């Protein structure tokens, strides 16, 4: 079973995403907004894909406040985690934000909140999941 790590500071969003992904996508879901934990899960290979909230209001890493863009940059810069697919999830859906955030972060995808089409949400995540190699 594939595992999605949800990095989200809103517990309601995290619960909604978890439900959709486990029920519709048949995926295993982990959730944290603790940056140390995100790094540890990513480096240990315990997640197949990450859903990263762009605006994390409480996240701190090594004494500095960080957002989803910064965490994504750190993961993409690390050879151990650079191939891990990361999808940014954000309520900041203004014109140009998508391109700007993707370029800035190096993320693999972008989903705007609120998520209204649950099947499309699951499909977007499934499309970026690493394929099984036989």
């Amino acid at each position: 079973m594939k595992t999605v790590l949800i990095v989200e500071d809103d517990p309601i969003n995290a619960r909604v995403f978890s439900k959709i992904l486990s029920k519709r996508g048949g995926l295993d879901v982990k959730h944290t907004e603790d940056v140390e934990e995100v790094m540890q899960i990513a480096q240990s290979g315990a997640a197949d894909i990450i859903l990263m909230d762009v605006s994390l209001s409480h996240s701190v890493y090594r004494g500095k406040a960080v957002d989803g863009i910064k965490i994504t940059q750190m993961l993409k810069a690390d050879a151990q985690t650079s191939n891990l697919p990361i999808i940014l999830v954000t309520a900041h859906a203004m014109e140009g934000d998508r391109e700007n955030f993707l370029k800035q972060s190096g993320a693999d995808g972008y989903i705007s909140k609120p998520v209204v089409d649950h099947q499309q949400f699951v499909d977007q995540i499934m499309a970026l999941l690493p394929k099984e190699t036989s």
Side-chain angles (χ1 to χ4, degrees):
M1 184 184 275
K2 297 286 188 187
T3 301
V4 179
L5 172 60
I6 299 174
V7 183
E8 167 68 67
D9 60 358
D10 180 327
I12 293 163
N13 280 338
R15 261 202 314 277
V16 170
F17 294 164
S18 292
K19 263 203 181 98
I20 297 169
L21 293 171
S22 56
K23 285 207 166 70
R24 282 194 183 227
L27 297 163
D28 190 28
V29 181
K30 292 177 175 359
H31 167 249
T32 185
E33 59 176 301
D34 178 307
V35 187
E36 298 283 346
E37 198 178 345
V38 171
M39 302 310 269
Q40 188 263 317
I41 289 170
Q43 287 163 347
S44 71
D48 296 294
I49 193 164
I50 297 178
L51 282 189
M52 180 74 68
D53 184 14
V54 170
S55 332
L56 296 165
S57 43
H58 316 294
S59 295
V60 175
Y61 187 66
R62 298 187 177 156
K64 290 193 173 90
V66 292
D67 61 7
I69 301 282
K70 183 67 188 148
I71 300 167
T72 302
Q73 288 168 340
M74 294 186 314
L75 289 166
K76 290 298 184 183
D78 181 341
Q80 210 177 342
T81 55
S82 63
N83 291 328
L84 183 62
I86 300 174
I87 300 177
L88 298 176
V89 184
T90 181
H92 297 287
M94 303 295 287
E95 179 104 18
D97 278 352
R98 177 194 170 97
E99 294 72 23
N100 190 14
F101 287 149
L102 285 171
K103 198 169 113 192
Q104 250 185 319
S105 66
D108 304 280
Y110 178 99
I111 295 172
S112 56
K113 290 190 261 189
V115 169
V116 271
D117 185 334
H118 293 182
Q119 193 55 53
Q120 184 189 10
F121 176 66
V122 170
D123 292 346
Q124 277 180 283
I125 292 158
M126 295 306 232
L128 282 173
L129 271 170
K131 303 290 175 257
E132 296 295 333
T133 48
S134 44

